[in-house]
Amino acid sequence: MKINGWIALAMTPVIWACSGDGSTPEGSPASEQAFVLAPAPPMGFNTWNRFACDVSEELVRGIADAMVESGMRDAGYEYLVIDDCWQVERGPDGVIVADPERFPSGIEALADYVHGRGLKFGLYTDAGSKTCQGRPGSLDYEEVDAATYAAWGVDYVKLDWCYADTLNAPVQYRKFREALDGTDRDIVLSICEWGRNLPWEWAPEVGQLWRTTGDIWDSWQSVLWILEANNRHHEVAGPGHWNDPDMLEVGNGGMTLEEYRSHFSLWAIMAAPLMAGNDLREMTPEIRDILTNADVIAVDQDPLGVQGKVVLDRGYGFQVWAKPLADGSVAVALLNLRDSEIEGYVSWHLLGLDPGEARVRDLWTGEESSHTDDGSWDARLRAPVPGHGVVMLRVTPVAG
Amino acid sequence: MKINGWIALAMTPVIWACSGDGSTPEGSPASEQAFVLAPAPPMGFNTWNRFACDVSEELVRGIADAMVESGMRDAGYEYLVIDDCWQVERGPDGVIVADPERFPSGIEALADYVHGRGLKFGLYTDAGSKTCQGRPGSLDYEEVDAATYAAWGVDYVKLDWCYADTLNAPVQYRKFREALDGTDRDIVLSICEWGRNLPWEWAPEVGQLWRTTGDIWDSWQSVLWILEANNRHHEVAGPGHWNDPDMLEVGNGGMTLEEYRSHFSLWAIMAAPLMAGNDLREMTPEIRDILTNADVIAVDQDPLGVQGKVVLDRGYGFQVWAKPLADGSVAVALLNLRDSEIEGYVSWHLLGLDPGEARVRDLWTGEESSHTDDGSWDARLRAPVPGHGVVMLRVTPVAG
């Protein structure tokens, strides 16, 4: 048995397939750095989806503690990122000043606390003159801000695109990347211009992840639209540089558990950054079980680094998504977009596998079984899929 | 001004990019024949969507007359195809027999009538042992049926995939294509296995069109699902061989006029075969105006033969679709998947056009205007798009 078709893609240094105007040659320090910063999709937590502007050092410390105590850190969630509204103004020296009421101990002390819990620390800013919430942006302060963040111990910067309409996105994001490179710290750059300026063409050379769509919201409709939009750029992703379909809404209350499992499963199939966005201090066990499912996270973080894609869409609300993995197995999601249960199916042919026997693990139930697909239609693997739900499998060919 | 990016695709003999196991060399008679049979996506009418099994020679004659009188024929609708249920059994010689009650004059006489109205004539059969409605299929009768159809004057065969689960789709469809090639008639082959057997990999060498999805139904949800599924295979389509997202539901009553306009516009952007499926004998003027819009049909039938695709998807229900045309212009659909009006936009950059002035024609209102996009965000073209609606434009760069 062998995997057909996928390997060529996986072995291609996909970063160089991009048509941006970057001049970084293959094997240069910049490309090695990009790889080292995000060999797998970044995982962590970001304040925005649940807390918006209601951020404070108390909240961040509580989240850091919760990441450790809930098992999120051990499951792989590494970055704790404060989104918009931590900053209020620039000082006379141009250095950005954190909100003194909400962050009385200062950002550096907070970063120390986060680091002390075995986590990494991230901040939000904006490439334009202001952030989306009207706080000072980084335009014309790129070097000052990069140096400030590095001095504070920042490991991750999310760079937004409000108040930036007249700017050139590749130029501006590259400028910030160069400012980060001028510091003595390795800092992940998260590019957030919402897919407006064809980032898939230039962002792989500039940041570790780039948004492909407008903001997610806590609704099944949003998940569906983002799935389709993000899937279109699957060829561009790879170790060091990832499409970002936006942060997770799992646990925020707007979807059913079935829908949250689908959301999380498909983000994993798409090798998406997994940034939790719920209140980790008061998760239900069901939500924690979704976010910390080791089998699903392993699909997301697989070292082959291929973004899975739709391999079959019958046009009536049933899709098969697949992601080849480093050990020769294939992760599969049978996705039911309809409201009621349907019978899903998948053939080894669809997965690029030769006919024969394979071990099949259901990543949500943990059940293991064996299935033989000899290539005939009747021999395909079938399973009921609940409405808005997935059956997520790992199919491992049995050598023979 | 020039068109970037698209031309390389358009100039590639895309049929040879397919990974099927066909041995037809470039420039062979078979490839020339495929081109001649369908240099542009086939257009016509098919009985199934509106009439299902309720077919008869009276109906077909009435539709033929209506195609002439309504202006459909002059708008480009050429094939009149009878779908399932015209046949009842095989005679002792193995020749298929039409239903004597519903087609008392016989199929040959009916084909003559259709030809006499300046149209071409098509029939449905099935690659398996039975048709989907249980009538005799063509399995093991491929040569007999091809010879029969040719003798009757058939110009188009739709070959379905029911009762065929144990068969090999590329093998079986190729067998039928060869049977058709063994006759003295040029006959279009419409492959209908619903995207189950990865037809985009082999069907371009076998048929002129192939379905990419399950059956359409007369609902906005069906249109949306099919759009996404069919868009995934845009690279494969080209003159002589087309992705088929299924026949039109325009005028069948399950969608609003706005939704039908979107359905028709996007089928044209996708260079889809345009097979009307409504009762042409009693169309409203509004429906006829949709189906016979010459500007939109010209987009579908454009000789460059590129299947348009999604060029921007913001992940909140706004998509930009674009199709480059032979004269250097680009057809654009701003599509609003949401229920209420939004402001759509498009930049020349998204269309692969250089900054500058262009003529812009709204293909549904007929309005002409000029717009200059200098590359800045504020200079993009903006237009309100109604819920579930499109704004469809033809953008023609002004040389300078």
Side-chain angles (χ1 to χ4, degrees):
Chain A
M1 279 201 173
K2 63 184 172 55
I3 297 180
N4 307 313
W6 290 94
I7 289 298
L9 171 63
M11 293 304 174
T12 307
V14 277
I15 192 170
W16 309 114
C18 296
S19 56
D21 57 356
S23 55
T24 315
E26 185 167 1
S28 76
S31 71
E32 289 165 17
Q33 182 207 34
F35 178 84
V36 167
L37 284 174
M43 293 176 64
F45 168 90
N46 175 297
T47 51
W48 186 258
N49 282 355
R50 173 65 180 77
F51 299 102
C53 270
D54 190 16
V55 291
S56 68
E57 63 180 48
E58 184 190 355
L59 170 73
V60 172
R61 287 181 179 158
I63 293 287
D65 295 345
M67 287 176 78
V68 176
E69 288 152 20
S70 64
M72 291 283 286
R73 182 190 65 183
D74 293 344
Y77 295 85
E78 182 177 20
Y79 295 97
L80 200 175
V81 181
I82 311 177
D83 209 280
D84 207 349
C85 300
W86 62 268
Q87 65 288 70
V88 286
E89 60 182 351
R90 289 193 182 277
D93 50 359
V95 173
I96 192 75
V97 177
D99 184 329
E101 292 183 10
R102 289 173 171 268
F103 297 90
S105 311
I107 300 295
E108 186 172 3
L110 190 54
D112 284 349
Y113 186 89
V114 169
H115 288 142
R117 303 312 311 254
L119 299 164
K120 292 180 176 171
F121 181 73
L123 281 178
Y124 162 105
T125 186
D126 190 289
S129 55
K130 295 183 186 180
T131 73
C132 293
Q133 299 300 315
R135 311 301 171 96
S138 287
L139 182 63
D140 296 333
Y141 290 87
E142 291 83 2
E143 293 188 7
V144 173
D145 284 351
T148 305
Y149 299 164
W152 287 347
V154 166
D155 306 298
Y156 182 114
V157 173
K158 175 178 172 181
L159 191 56
D160 214 342
W161 192 243
C162 284
Y163 298 92
D165 277 359
T166 58
L167 303 175
N168 177 308
V171 167
Q172 215 60 28
Y173 279 100
R174 206 178 300 270
K175 194 169 175 186
F176 206 93
R177 175 74 261 173
E178 284 164 8
L180 293 175
D181 290 344
T183 73
D184 60 358
R185 248 187 120 73
D186 287 332
I187 302 178
V188 167
L189 178 60
S190 162
I191 293 175
C192 180
E193 55 73 81
W194 325 305
R196 268 191 177 167
N197 304 280
L198 313 181
W200 32 88
E201 295 188 357
W202 50 266
E205 297 167 355
V206 183
Q208 280 62 56
L209 60 161
W210 57 90
R211 288 275 299 284
T212 54
T213 72
D215 282 5
I216 195 171
W217 68 99
D218 188 14
S219 135
W220 181 239
Q221 185 62 62
S222 176
V223 166
L224 292 187
W225 284 341
I226 287 179
L227 282 179
E228 298 297 343
N230 193 61
N231 181 56
R232 294 205 181 90
H233 311 291
H234 63 84
E235 299 94 339
V236 183
H241 49 280
W242 309 96
N243 285 307
D244 178 5
D246 208 359
M247 305 178 292
L248 299 170
E249 289 283 8
V250 176
N252 279 333
M255 291 184 251
T256 66
L257 283 176
E258 200 69 57
E259 290 168 338
Y260 282 139
R261 265 190 292 270
S262 298
H263 171 23
F264 194 70
S265 299
L266 272 300
W267 260 236
I269 290 272
M270 296 193 300
L274 297 178
M275 301 296 282
N278 57 318
D279 189 345
L280 302 180
R281 301 168 305 179
E282 41 185 53
M283 272 189 289
T284 65
E286 291 80 8
I287 293 297
R288 193 192 55 220
D289 288 348
I290 293 175
L291 289 170
T292 60
N293 182 313
D295 283 335
V296 176
I297 290 172
V299 169
D300 182 77
Q301 298 283 302
D302 185 79
L304 194 58
V306 173
Q307 178 172 332
K309 62 179 181 179
V310 178
V311 294
L312 189 74
D313 187 330
R314 291 292 312 289
Y316 57 59
F318 172 60
Q319 298 178 339
V320 180
W321 292 68
K323 178 185 198 291
L325 304 176
D327 67 354
S329 64
V330 182
V332 182
L334 310 180
L335 174 62
N336 178 6
L337 308 180
R338 308 191 78 142
D339 295 338
S340 54
E341 180 178 299
I342 58 171
E343 181 179 70
Y345 66 86
V346 65
S347 65
W348 290 181
H349 180 56
L350 267 179
L351 302 181
L353 299 174
D354 285 336
E357 187 188 354
R359 278 185 293 115
V360 177
R361 182 175 173 83
D362 183 315
L363 303 190
W364 286 111
T365 67
E367 283 170 28
E368 292 255 12
S369 59
S370 168
H371 183 82
T372 298
D373 177 349
D374 64 7
S376 70
W377 179 253
D378 288 339
R380 71 200 188 279
L381 191 155
R382 285 178 279 191
V385 189
H388 297 195
V390 292
V391 168
M392 191 170 180
L393 307 170
R394 183 166 182 144
V395 177
T396 308
V398 174
Chain B
M1 278 201 174
K2 64 184 169 58
I3 298 179
N4 308 312
W6 291 93
I7 289 298
L9 172 62
M11 293 304 174
T12 307
V14 275
I15 192 170
W16 310 114
C18 296
S19 56
D21 57 356
S23 55
T24 315
E26 185 167 1
S28 76
S31 71
E32 289 165 17
Q33 183 208 31
F35 179 82
V36 167
L37 283 173
M43 294 176 64
F45 168 88
N46 175 296
T47 52
W48 185 258
N49 281 356
R50 172 66 180 77
F51 299 101
C53 270
D54 190 14
V55 290
S56 67
E57 62 180 48
E58 184 191 355
L59 170 72
V60 173
R61 285 180 180 159
I63 293 287
D65 295 345
M67 287 176 78
V68 177
E69 287 152 21
S70 65
M72 290 283 285
R73 183 190 64 183
D74 292 345
Y77 295 87
E78 182 178 19
Y79 295 97
L80 199 175
V81 181
I82 311 177
D83 210 278
D84 208 349
C85 300
W86 62 269
Q87 65 288 71
V88 286
E89 61 182 352
R90 289 193 182 276
D93 50 359
V95 173
I96 191 76
V97 177
D99 185 328
E101 292 182 11
R102 288 173 170 268
F103 297 89
S105 311
I107 300 295
E108 188 172 1
L110 190 54
D112 284 349
Y113 186 89
V114 170
H115 288 141
R117 303 312 310 254
L119 299 164
K120 291 180 177 172
F121 181 72
L123 280 179
Y124 162 104
T125 186
D126 190 289
S129 56
K130 295 182 187 180
T131 72
C132 293
Q133 298 301 315
R135 311 302 171 96
S138 287
L139 182 63
D140 296 333
Y141 288 87
E142 292 83 3
E143 294 188 6
V144 173
D145 284 351
T148 305
Y149 299 165
W152 287 347
V154 166
D155 306 297
Y156 182 113
V157 173
K158 175 178 172 181
L159 191 57
D160 213 342
W161 192 242
C162 284
Y163 298 94
D165 278 359
T166 58
L167 303 176
N168 178 307
V171 167
Q172 215 61 29
Y173 279 99
R174 205 178 301 268
K175 195 169 173 186
F176 206 92
R177 175 74 262 172
E178 285 165 7
L180 292 176
D181 290 344
T183 72
D184 59 358
R185 247 186 121 75
D186 286 334
I187 302 178
V188 168
L189 179 60
S190 162
I191 294 174
C192 180
E193 54 72 81
W194 325 305
R196 267 190 177 167
N197 304 280
L198 314 181
W200 32 87
E201 295 188 357
W202 51 267
E205 297 167 355
V206 182
Q208 279 62 56
L209 59 161
W210 57 90
R211 288 275 299 284
T212 54
T213 72
D215 282 5
I216 195 171
W217 69 98
D218 187 15
S219 136
W220 179 241
Q221 184 62 63
S222 176
V223 166
L224 293 186
W225 283 340
I226 287 180
L227 282 179
E228 298 296 344
N230 193 63
N231 181 56
R232 294 203 181 91
H233 312 291
H234 62 84
E235 298 94 340
V236 183
H241 48 280
W242 308 96
N243 285 306
D244 178 6
D246 208 359
M247 306 178 291
L248 299 170
E249 290 283 8
V250 176
N252 279 332
M255 292 184 250
T256 66
L257 283 177
E258 200 70 57
E259 291 168 338
Y260 281 139
R261 265 190 292 272
S262 298
H263 171 22
F264 194 69
S265 300
L266 273 300
W267 259 237
I269 290 272
M270 295 193 300
L274 298 179
M275 301 296 282
N278 58 318
D279 190 344
L280 303 181
R281 300 168 306 179
E282 41 186 53
M283 273 188 291
T284 64
E286 291 80 9
I287 292 297
R288 193 192 57 220
D289 287 350
I290 293 174
L291 288 171
T292 59
N293 181 313
D295 283 334
V296 176
I297 290 172
V299 169
D300 182 77
Q301 298 283 302
D302 185 79
L304 194 59
V306 173
Q307 179 172 332
K309 62 178 181 182
V310 179
V311 295
L312 190 73
D313 187 329
R314 291 291 314 286
Y316 58 57
F318 172 60
Q319 299 178 338
V320 180
W321 292 68
K323 179 185 198 291
L325 304 175
D327 68 353
S329 64
V330 182
V332 182
L334 311 179
L335 175 62
N336 178 5
L337 308 181
R338 307 192 79 142
D339 295 337
S340 53
E341 181 177 300
I342 59 172
E343 181 179 70
Y345 66 86
V346 66
S347 65
W348 290 182
H349 180 56
L350 267 180
L351 302 181
L353 299 173
D354 284 338
E357 185 188 355
R359 278 184 296 117
V360 177
R361 180 174 175 82
D362 184 314
L363 304 191
W364 286 111
T365 68
E367 283 169 28
E368 292 256 12
S369 59
S370 168
H371 182 81
T372 298
D373 178 350
D374 64 7
S376 70
W377 180 252
D378 289 337
R380 71 199 187 281
L381 189 157
R382 284 179 279 190
V385 189
H388 297 195
V390 293
V391 168
M392 190 167 180
L393 307 170
R394 183 166 180 145
V395 177
T396 308
V398 174

